[in-house]
Amino acid sequence: MSTASTPLALRAATPADVSAIRELIEGLAEYEQLRHECIATDALLHEALFGARPHAEVVLAEWNGEVAGFALFFHNFSTFLARPGIYLEDLFVRPSFRGHGIGRALLTHLAQLAVSRSCGRLEWSVLDWNVDAIGFYEKLGARAQDAWTVYRVTGDALTHLASGDA
C-alpha cells in the first residue's frame, strides 16, 4: 500500500527484518508496562516467523522508508463459522510516527487479508486501561466482546498442566 501522495508503505516482513520486529515488540512492551515480561530474541523470532513451520506473520509499516510500526498476526479458527479468522496479536506504531493513519492502514490491510483469505473475522485483545486504543478501535467499527474472559496458562502452571498432574 503505497501511493504517490503518501510516504506510507506496508509490506510483509522478511527474515532480514527480525531485529526491527524485535525492537518494535520491545517498544510495545514498554508502552504496555510489560517490558519485564518481554524475552523475545532475534533467534526465537526468526524460528517462529520464518522457520520450518511459521506460527505468525508480520506486516511492517514504513514511513519514508523507515520502519514505523507493525502488525503481528496468525490464523485461528471458528468452529461456529467453520472458517478461519485472523487474530491480531500485536499492533504498534512508534510514538514519533503516530497521527499519520498508520494504525488504521495496518488494520485495513489485515481486514483486506481476512476477506481475501475467506476469514470469518478479525479479532484482537486490548488492555482495559488503554482508552485511546479502545476509542480508536470502536471508531473503526470494532465491538468489545464483554461476555468473554481470556484465560492463560504459562510458565510453571503450563508445565504442571502438561505433566497431567493438574
Side-chain angles (χ1 to χ4, degrees), residues 21-126:
I21 294 167
R22 181 190 36 78
E23 290 171 7
L24 289 163
I25 291 169
E26 290 170 351
L28 173 63
E30 288 285 340
Y31 175 76
E32 291 183 343
Q33 303 167 23
L34 296 170
R35 182 64 178 95
H36 61 283
E37 292 185 20
C38 185
I39 61 168
T41 65
D42 287 4
L44 289 171
L45 285 169
H46 187 276
E47 181 61 28
L49 299 174
F50 305 105
R53 184 172 184 251
H55 297 287
E57 298 175 62
V58 173
V59 174
L60 290 175
E62 294 179 332
W63 190 263
N64 287 323
E66 187 177 348
V67 175
F70 82 123
L72 187 147
F73 64 97
F74 54 89
H75 283 276
N76 56 14
F77 190 80
S78 169
T79 54
F80 288 8
L81 299 176
R83 295 171 69 188
I86 288 180
Y87 187 85
L88 172 61
E89 179 66 22
D90 287 321
L91 175 75
F92 180 70
V93 176
R94 288 185 167 139
S96 61
F97 292 98
R98 292 181 186 157
H100 296 295
I102 296 171
R104 181 185 194 91
L106 285 164
L107 282 169
T108 297
H109 182 78
L110 290 184
Q112 291 168 346
L113 279 178
V115 170
S116 72
R117 295 177 181 185
S118 299
C119 294
R121 60 186 176 203
L122 167 61
E123 59 190 349
W124 59 90
S125 298
V126 61

